[in-house]
Amino acid sequence: MAVALDLQRICVTRGGRLTLDSIDLAIAPGTLAAITGASGAGKTTLLRIINRLITPSSGQLMIDGKDAGQMPTAQLRRGIGYAAQGVGLFPHWSVAENIAAVPWLNGEDRAARRARALEMLDLVELPRSFADRRPAELSGGQASRVGLARALAARPGLLLLDEPFAALDPETRGALADRIETLHRAQGLTTLIVTHDLADALTRVGRILVIDEGRLVADQTPAALLANPHPAVQALVTAPLDQARRLVALGAPQGQP
């Protein structure tokens, strides 16, 4: 089986404490997977390891069969689309300049960068007139779409999203999740999404990875996780199921439970 991403016995130690403990994980090309777990479990650390924002204390990271530790960091990151929680747009750059940050680093000329930025605005379904706006002029949902456009601008094969739906209202969250799912399939991406919204992840991805106290404790399909939820996500699974039952009960005809 082809492997796009292979983590072998990855450990991260901070202040004498293991924040990631012996992570073994293989991701096939084209996978759409969610990483979930409690706050502080190590989810974001795992993404940062893949993007080489953090160097593991031990273990090996392979991307497309190459040892990521032996690759120039800038070169590796330019092949990975990464959108962090809070978006992190450069406030004094225009939307177009933010989107074209990696093409700029890659030495593309101004006209090519502008064309790529406009193409990406089309892709995330934002008007081209947004190109010359500043991030402060955007809503939360619009800024998240610009962050996604920037992550995709370098034509990556691997997309890493860290809580892309945080602080968005349910309607905006649903629309952005729909767009990410569509782009993932249309562009043949390998996508990992860190999320606390397990209910949404269960209906959209084919694989759920559960991190608990730095360990990968579950790697299952949504159906398998629902059938026998790991204790680390028991509450996350139970809450949306209870909510769904209550909504169904509210809509039940009179005389029925």
Side-chain angles (χ1 to χ4, degrees):
M1 180 188 73
V3 177
L5 188 63
D6 190 12
L7 287 78
Q8 303 170 10
R9 307 293 292 174
I10 292 289
C11 294
V12 175
T13 303
R14 286 180 174 173
R17 174 180 171 268
L18 276 173
T19 55
L20 284 182
D21 187 0
S22 301
I23 298 290
D24 285 311
L25 179 62
I27 302 290
T31 296
L32 175 59
I35 304 170
T36 193
S39 296
K43 305 182 298 299
T44 293
T45 300
L46 181 60
L47 281 199
R48 288 174 173 263
I49 284 288
I50 296 168
N51 206 28
R52 292 293 304 279
L53 291 168
I54 296 174
T55 300
S57 305
S58 61
Q60 187 175 41
L61 168 64
M62 306 289 289
I63 297 179
D64 291 330
K66 299 176 183 178
D67 186 346
Q70 301 302 314
M71 297 172 62
T73 303
Q75 177 187 337
L76 178 142
R77 289 179 187 161
R78 290 173 193 176
I80 298 173
Y82 181 67
Q85 183 176 354
V87 182
L89 299 179
F90 303 117
H92 301 301
W93 286 15
S94 69
V95 164
E97 289 167 339
N98 269 281
I99 292 172
V102 173
W104 173 68
L105 290 171
N106 287 340
E108 295 186 23
D109 63 38
R110 183 185 299 272
R113 297 197 306 267
R114 179 75 177 189
R116 185 61 176 163
L118 295 178
E119 181 185 352
M120 291 298 95
L121 285 172
D122 292 342
L123 198 64
V124 299
E125 298 181 337
L126 284 175
R128 289 190 170 200
S129 60
F130 278 40
D132 297 314
R133 294 189 181 186
R134 290 289 188 269
E137 300 175 70
L138 305 175
S139 69
Q142 291 164 351
S144 293
R145 285 178 182 251
V146 172
L148 178 60
R150 182 174 64 181
L152 293 169
R155 302 174 179 85
L158 178 61
L159 182 62
L160 308 176
L161 303 176
D162 188 3
E163 292 285 3
F165 315 123
L168 298 181
D169 63 83
E171 183 177 357
T172 303
R173 185 186 306 128
L176 184 60
D178 287 343
R179 196 65 194 138
I180 289 171
E181 187 177 4
T182 298
L183 291 171
H184 164 84
R185 301 189 191 286
Q187 300 199 11
L189 298 169
T190 302
T191 305
L192 298 180
I193 305 175
V194 166
T195 182
H196 282 96
D197 191 345
L198 184 57
D200 195 58
L202 287 167
T203 63
R204 296 181 184 275
V205 307
R207 187 171 174 185
I208 306 285
L209 309 171
V210 181
I211 306 291
D212 184 44
E213 296 185 348
R215 287 183 172 272
L216 179 62
V217 296
D219 181 354
Q220 297 176 292
T221 65
L225 188 68
L226 283 172
N228 186 26
H230 187 277
V233 291
Q234 181 74 55
L236 294 176
V237 171
T238 300
L241 289 177
D242 285 346
Q243 186 179 45
R245 282 192 286 266
R246 290 174 186 173
L247 288 172
V248 169
L250 285 172
Q254 288 188 346
Q256 294 187 19

